[in-house]
Amino acid sequence: MTRSDTIKALRPPKRKRPLVAILADNYGSETTDLIVPWSVLKRSGAADVVIVSTRAGDAKLMPALKIRPDMTIEKFGELHEEGADYVLVPAFHNPKNRVAADWLQRQSEGGAIVAGICSGALVLAHAGLLANRHATTHWYDRNRLTRISPTTTLQLNNRYLADRGVATTTGVSASLPFALTLVEAILGKPRAEQAAAKLGLGGFGQEHNSAGFQLRAQNVLRLASNFISGHEQFGLRIDGETDELELAFIADAWSRTYRSSISTFADMGSDVVASAGGLRIVPDLPFSKGSELKKVPAFDGLPADALAFALQQISRRYGLQTAKLVALQLEYAWTG
């Protein structure tokens, strides 16, 4: 499946200015899978973007952060009877979520292009949307995907692909190149390359080395060793200047070391903070507690470099093997 095929398959199906709904399961949606496409599409101006939740209330992200969605799927239906042009689905804590499955089926039947980011493909599989299609997913869940959907053909060595109205991607780090590919499908290649340059990303091609990602003995040993070692809690202050894309990469990476966790905090009295791009983040801790925690090294660079920076700092603090373990979980080609 060529990249030109993918671009063609991702062209806006309905509106000239598309409507993108990013689905959040309130009980657990992967941090980077959700935030990065939201941020990229918002910055590019390619589409109207809303975060839609399976039920009322704030949405817990995993492994870090909490956000306030824009609306529930019921409210979305009231406001947009025609449905979405695109529905993006991050990895869910519960990929069998029946409410999500039913809604995704209706959106697909209404002509929306549905995309599973990373293990969000499992949500699509449980909804029956990957039957008799080519697809990919996070390296750890490939076999699980084909067990759920036996007629799905795994397409290796593709970071992302689309097949008849349904798109899928590889691991967490594929969220950025896929989002830019979506910008290209909507606005054209020059606009997508311009958006990528502003983020600091040199390319966002479809090629991927699937064989380079698998669980090895040293990864298991490192995980076990870190799990029984001391645990550190870090505080991340958020405000109106917080870059949500950088925040997602940094919080996600540091929360996967099995040695540390990230908790956000804001100025006193802030129960929700709008990031620089307008993402509504719910602080984990009050200012008095969060401000006393250790701080991760501050990042000062282009957003797309935040993940590599976080891995560098993790390597310095916990060792190269821990940083490689984090990169493996994110399916990110990083050697240190």
Side-chain angles (χ1 to χ4, degrees):
M1 193 168 292
T2 67
R3 191 168 186 279
S4 60
D5 293 331
T6 300
I7 295 294
K8 184 177 180 181
L10 291 175
R11 297 287 185 206
K14 300 179 186 179
R15 305 168 178 85
K16 184 175 181 180
R17 179 175 174 80
L19 173 62
V20 179
I22 301 181
L23 184 61
D25 181 0
N26 300 74
Y27 295 104
S29 303
E30 210 288 329
T31 304
T32 298
D33 292 352
L34 188 150
I35 292 178
V36 169
W38 182 93
S39 183
V40 170
L41 290 167
K42 279 279 193 178
R43 292 167 194 251
S44 70
D48 295 319
V49 190
V50 293
I51 298 174
V52 181
S53 57
T54 53
R55 65 176 182 86
D58 295 333
K60 177 179 173 57
L61 303 186
M62 54 185 194
L65 309 182
K66 185 188 295 184
I67 61 167
R68 186 156 295 172
D70 297 304
M71 63 189 75
T72 62
I73 56 177
E74 288 82 7
K75 187 64 176 180
F76 182 87
E78 292 173 10
L79 296 175
H80 306 288
E81 292 183 4
E82 188 183 347
D85 291 84
Y86 303 92
V87 178
L88 308 187
V89 185
F92 279 9
H93 176 69
N94 175 23
K96 297 180 181 180
N97 187 314
R98 195 65 246 170
V99 173
D102 291 344
W103 188 72
L104 290 171
Q105 289 168 355
R106 294 196 298 273
Q107 290 297 314
S108 179
E109 290 166 1
I113 294 173
V114 181
I117 310 298
C118 183
S119 294
L122 301 182
V123 184
L124 272 56
H126 280 293
L129 298 182
L130 293 181
N132 301 304
R133 283 182 168 86
H134 290 77
T136 189
T137 190
H138 188 281
W139 63 268
Y140 188 77
D141 284 319
R142 292 173 195 156
N143 292 337
R144 186 180 178 190
L145 176 63
T146 53
R147 287 197 301 271
I148 298 167
S149 182
T151 62
T152 299
T153 301
L154 276 178
Q155 190 84 31
L156 300 181
N157 299 320
N158 283 259
R159 183 173 280 117
Y160 48 79
L161 63 126
D163 185 356
R164 290 170 292 149
V166 181
T168 48
T169 82
T170 56
V172 181
S173 65
S175 58
L176 183 54
F178 177 75
L180 287 162
T181 299
L182 203 53
V183 173
E184 180 178 344
I186 298 168
L187 296 179
K189 190 173 183 179
R191 289 284 297 275
E193 290 178 338
Q194 182 182 43
K198 288 181 179 179
L199 293 172
L201 191 67
F204 45 99
Q206 189 165 326
E207 301 79 17
H208 185 64
N209 177 23
S210 296
F213 299 93
Q214 52 186 299
L215 194 63
R216 303 181 188 278
Q218 63 263 36
N219 304 130
V220 177
L221 290 172
R222 176 52 52 189
L223 188 156
S225 174
N226 284 9
F227 187 78
I228 62 176
S229 299
H231 181 88
E232 297 183 290
Q233 185 180 15
F234 291 96
L236 264 179
R237 184 177 179 272
I238 53 174
D239 57 28
E241 296 182 1
T242 296
D243 186 300
E244 65 281 341
L245 195 153
E246 296 174 11
L247 174 67
F249 279 144
I250 290 170
D252 208 331
W254 280 91
S255 298
R256 290 178 181 272
T257 64
Y258 290 86
R259 290 289 309 276
S260 55
S261 60
I262 294 289
S263 296
T264 57
F265 66 96
D267 291 339
M268 286 184 283
S270 301
D271 66 332
V272 64
V273 175
S275 70
L279 181 70
R280 296 190 297 171
I281 307 166
V282 180
D284 298 307
L285 297 172
F287 179 84
S288 58
K289 291 186 177 180
S291 60
E292 295 177 353
L293 295 176
K294 300 174 183 177
K295 307 298 184 293
V296 295
F299 172 70
D300 183 19
L302 294 173
D305 294 328
L307 178 53
F309 173 81
L311 291 170
Q312 259 185 357
Q313 299 304 316
I314 289 168
S315 179
R316 290 179 181 177
R317 192 170 190 90
Y318 302 127
L320 180 60
Q321 292 308 312
T322 293
K324 286 185 175 181
L325 175 63
V326 173
L328 177 64
Q329 293 174 71
L330 298 172
E331 200 161 342
Y332 181 61
W334 184 82
T335 61

